[in-house]
Amino acid sequence: MAVSDVTAMFKALGDPTRQAIFEFLCERCCPVAVEETGEVHQVQGVTVGEVCCHVTGSDKFSSTVSFHIKELRLAGLINAEKNGKFMICSVRREAVDAMLAYLSALPKSDSSLCN
Amino acid sequence: MAVSDVTAMFKALGDPTRQAIFEFLCERCCPVAVEETGEVHQVQGVTVGEVCCHVTGSDKFSSTVSFHIKELRLAGLINAEKNGKFMICSVRREAVDAMLAYLSALPKSDSSLCN
DNA sequence: ACAACGTATCGAGATATTTCGATATAATAT
DNA sequence: ATATTATATCGAAATATCTCGATACGTTGT
């Protein structure tokens, strides 16, 4: 994952609404199942409606939340796949790992010579 | 460090110019010295002029870079202290640690029960 | 076929961010 | 005292982001 990708992730997470959505998805996303074929897929996720409900407190669809979900997806922080008439959202763990790796790799004060 | 602080840090780091400034400071910031008194202070840092030079490629002061340095400081990512006619900038390691802690503490898919 | 549902997208207004030049200020050098 | 240097701040233009209502679209139920 390139540095520019991490920039987009930080930018996306830098909005309170999106951060709330992302944390909600982190809490709600469930284990993955491994088929006999070895294929791994998401067992469960959260619908856009559930996210709207959690974020706005109302049970009505919110185009604003939909907008933020799209931003999170474009930044690579979440996945969203259609299931019937629902969109199921889930966290991309690689994204979290990429941000952790980026921050961990920043030169530390005592790891480099001083001029 | 509160969650909202981390949000501001992510937002600040989500801009390419500020990320470049931050990385530059990470590379350049040097060890701290501990006085006999036990007081710890920054031995060295980087002047605003050096940051401008690195970011813009020119040796002229840039009010844009100055603006971004201020944003980084307000987000808690860097320190800036005056030394004579220079402003010395340095990274706040606690900020990096706070972001790492936040990301590390996000619930993992296999750490929570599934509904 | 039609209605209801879940979600996306569009358009517009409100607000925030970014950039840059001009001016201001404080510290140093002459 | 005056000039120079390093930096900050202001103002304005350009651009981006956020929010919300309206409309559109695909899916499901009747």
Side-chain angles (χ1 to χ4, degrees), chain A residues 31-43 81:
Chain A
V32 294
V34 181
E35 309 278 355
E36 300 102 285
T37 66
E39 193 193 18
V40 174
H41 68 92
Q42 199 75 30
V43 172
E81 56 182 279

Side-chain angles (χ1 to χ4, degrees), chain B residues 22-44:
Chain B
F22 190 72
E23 288 179 8
F24 180 63
L25 291 180
C26 282
E27 287 162 15
R28 290 297 192 81
C29 280
C30 293
V32 294
V34 181
E35 309 278 357
E36 300 103 285
T37 65
E39 191 192 17
V40 174
H41 68 91
Q42 197 75 30
V43 171
Q44 292 190 46

Side-chain angles (χ1 to χ4, degrees), chain A residues 3 7 10-11 13-14 16 19 22-23 26-27 29-31 44 93 96 99-100 102-104 106-109 112 114-115, chain B residues 3 7 10-11 13-14 16 19 22-23 26-27 29-31 44 93 96 99-100 102-104 106-109 112 114-115:
Chain A
V3 169
T7 314
F10 286 145
K11 184 176 182 184
L13 264 193
Q19 194 185 5
F22 190 71
E23 288 179 8
C26 282
E27 288 162 15
C29 280
C30 294
Q44 292 191 46
R93 301 290 163 185
V96 178
M99 289 185 286
L100 281 169
Y102 171 82
L103 292 172
S104 300
L106 288 171
K108 294 247 171 37
S109 60
S112 61
C114 193
N115 299 337
Chain B
V3 169
T7 314
F10 286 145
K11 183 176 183 182
L13 263 194
Q19 194 185 5
F22 190 72
E23 288 179 8
C26 282
E27 287 162 15
C29 280
C30 293
Q44 292 190 46
R93 301 290 164 186
V96 178
M99 289 185 285
L100 281 170
Y102 171 81
L103 292 172
S104 301
L106 287 172
K108 294 246 171 36
S109 59
S112 61
C114 193
N115 297 338

Side-chain angles (χ1 to χ4, degrees), chain A residues 19-97:
Chain A
Q19 194 185 5
I21 294 172
F22 190 71
E23 288 179 8
F24 180 62
L25 291 180
C26 282
E27 288 162 15
R28 291 298 192 81
C29 280
C30 294
V32 294
V34 181
E35 309 278 355
E36 300 102 285
T37 66
E39 193 193 18
V40 174
H41 68 92
Q42 199 75 30
V43 172
Q44 292 191 46
V46 181
T47 68
V48 171
E50 287 173 308
V51 176
C52 290
C53 179
H54 178 259
V55 170
T56 69
S58 150
D59 60 348
K60 274 181 290 197
F61 171 79
S62 156
S63 63
T64 296
V65 171
S66 179
F67 164 76
H68 286 303
I69 287 177
K70 185 180 184 181
E71 293 291 307
L72 287 169
R73 187 166 49 77
L74 292 178
L77 285 170
I78 69 174
N79 283 127
E81 56 182 279
K82 208 164 187 176
N83 187 347
K85 60 179 172 179
F86 299 96
M87 278 292 291
I88 307 297
C89 306
S90 56
V91 169
R92 283 193 68 223
R93 301 290 163 185
E94 315 95 289
V96 178
D97 292 341

